[in-house]
Amino acid sequence: MGSQLPVCAYLALGSNIGDRERYLLDAIKCLDNHEHIYVSGRSHIYETDPVGYVDQDAFLNMVIEVETLLSAQELFAVMLSVENKLGRIREIRFGPRTIDLDLLLYDELRQEDPQLILPHPRMAERAFVLVPLVEVMQQRHSKQAGVWSEHLDQAEGKEGVRVWNHMQ
């Protein structure tokens, strides 16, 4: 990745329309194919109950770790373009979607930009984010995983986060 050191970031992925697993895998492929993004870790896929707007199908969720030379804003722009490419339509807040990509953490960056708040403002209260986040962090960043495990211990809804077995 050149002479500049890459930054580690964590992205949440979710889908509850159509071939949910295919949308997750296609999003990962699009991100990994970008010249300045390397997918360095991934969680299992989890099936989760909808939160917020609950009159919709269950989601498949996961978290990936990426190494990138992009700024947080540049990475976020790539994520939005991947959502658009995969047919994301924003009609209902927290509603059904082909793919949803959220930038959870970008190194140690803390910012309150209205377009991109980091760390993600609701991640600490969402078991469907914390379960796969802690899992992927434990692969290489166990100290950081411990911090987020404490949030997970306090989170409600863990029983609605199940490892997904597509062979069912």
Side-chain angles (χ1 to χ4, degrees), residues 11-17 20 23-24 27 31 59-62 76 79-80 82-84 86-90 94-104 120 122 126 128-129:
L11 287 59
L13 295 80
S15 175
N16 77 332
I17 295 177
R20 302 172 299 167
Y23 282 117
L24 296 177
L31 292 164
F59 280 83
L60 290 186
N61 292 98
M62 66 185 304
F76 185 63
M79 293 165 60
L80 290 176
V82 169
E83 286 184 341
N84 289 335
L86 297 178
R88 168 80 190 262
I89 298 172
R90 298 172 189 275
F94 304 123
R97 58 207 87 160
T98 56
I99 191 71
D100 181 35
L101 301 175
D102 287 325
L103 182 53
L104 303 175
H120 189 285
R122 291 174 302 281
R126 294 179 169 170
F128 68 87
V129 170

Side-chain angles (χ1 to χ4, degrees), residues 12 45 128 156:
I45 297 174
F128 68 87
E156 295 181 17

Side-chain angles (χ1 to χ4, degrees), residues 28-129:
I28 292 169
K29 184 186 286 187
C30 288
L31 292 164
D32 203 37
N33 284 341
H34 189 282
E35 66 179 325
H36 297 298
I37 300 171
Y38 168 69
V39 176
S40 52
R42 66 168 70 177
S43 71
H44 285 93
I45 297 174
Y46 293 85
E47 188 165 47
T48 63
D49 300 328
V51 173
Y53 179 74
V54 296
D55 187 21
Q56 59 183 322
D57 293 335
F59 280 83
L60 290 186
N61 292 98
M62 66 185 304
V63 170
I64 61 171
E65 177 189 84
V66 301
E67 294 177 19
T68 184
L69 297 176
L70 302 175
S71 69
Q73 281 71 18
E74 291 168 333
L75 178 58
F76 185 63
V78 170
M79 293 165 60
L80 290 176
S81 73
V82 169
E83 286 184 341
N84 289 335
K85 178 179 179 180
L86 297 178
R88 168 80 190 262
I89 298 172
R90 298 172 189 275
E91 291 178 330
I92 301 171
R93 183 170 167 81
F94 304 123
R97 58 207 87 160
T98 56
I99 191 71
D100 181 35
L101 301 175
D102 287 325
L103 182 53
L104 303 175
L105 298 165
Y106 181 90
D107 195 34
E108 299 293 321
L109 181 62
R110 295 190 176 284
Q111 71 178 34
E112 291 288 329
D113 184 300
Q115 300 300 314
L116 180 59
I117 299 171
L118 290 168
H120 189 285
R122 291 174 302 281
M123 66 185 275
E125 59 203 45
R126 294 179 169 170
F128 68 87
V129 170

Side-chain angles (χ1 to χ4, degrees), residues 139-164:
Q139 296 168 13
R140 293 180 19 176
H141 302 280
S142 58
K143 184 178 177 186
Q144 207 175 3
V147 171
W148 290 103
S149 289
E150 293 175 18
H151 289 284
L152 178 57
D153 290 343
Q154 305 301 315
E156 295 181 17
K158 293 182 283 283
E159 65 283 348
V161 180
R162 305 164 298 276
V163 172
W164 186 68

